[in-house]
Amino acid sequence: MEIMNIVGFALVVTVFAVLLREGRPEMALLLALGFGILVFILVLGKMGTIINLFRDLTRSARVDELYLTTLLKILGIAYIAEFGAQICRDAGEGTIASKVEMAGKVLILLLALPIFAAVLEVVVRLLP
Amino acid sequence: MDVDVIFKIAGLGILISVLNIILKQADKEAQMLTLAGVVVVLIVVVQLINELFNVVRSVFHLF
């Protein structure tokens, strides 16, 4: 099972990070960043199958493809923004982390606008 | 899950700190050594970040 070797590997990397932290703090940060990216790539690889299932469901339910693609984009932006913000906060840079999160929120809001418009349009059509 | 990248970074980090200690004993301050170490590790990590963004782009059809 992947979770076994992920956790084992995480412990090893943590030991290395602690070892490096007092001598070379920036190396420890880069090490943590490298490990985070590796796990992220592994997990995202598996995310593809979930997304394909959602696509088949939406196609069979004849729901408009726009909603799913927007949802996926928002999910992607959220993942990346959270990943970056966490790395920055780990390094002690709280301000940079909050700026990254704010940018993520604005971009997600931007993506959600067409869906707001669609919902409003449906509501208006329902009103007598 | 390519393990060797992580051990490459960790090895570089430890190598840099050991070299720094050695240079300190020879009472020569090596600022360039730290810089060189960080640059090399950054190159490796930037390639990882590039791979990450390609995976995200393919999975989430972001761009």
Side-chain angles (χ1 to χ4, degrees), chain B residues 47-59:
Chain B
Q47 283 161 1
L48 268 180
I49 291 177
N50 179 32
E51 188 185 345
L52 169 72
F53 281 157
N54 289 335
V55 167
V56 169
R57 182 176 300 144
S58 65
V59 169

Side-chain angles (χ1 to χ4, degrees), chain A residues 70-96:
Chain A
T70 313
L71 183 69
L72 285 183
K73 283 183 187 156
I74 290 178
L75 201 57
I77 291 180
Y79 262 130
I80 294 280
E82 191 272 337
F83 180 80
Q86 192 56 39
I87 290 287
C88 295
R89 195 163 287 121
D90 221 13
E93 299 296 335
T95 49
I96 299 178

Side-chain angles (χ1 to χ4, degrees), chain B residues 2-22:
Chain B
D2 43 2
V3 177
D4 54 355
V5 177
I6 287 293
F7 288 136
K8 204 188 295 180
I9 297 177
L12 261 172
I14 293 173
L15 180 69
I16 296 296
S17 48
V18 165
L19 282 179
N20 232 339
I21 292 166
I22 293 171

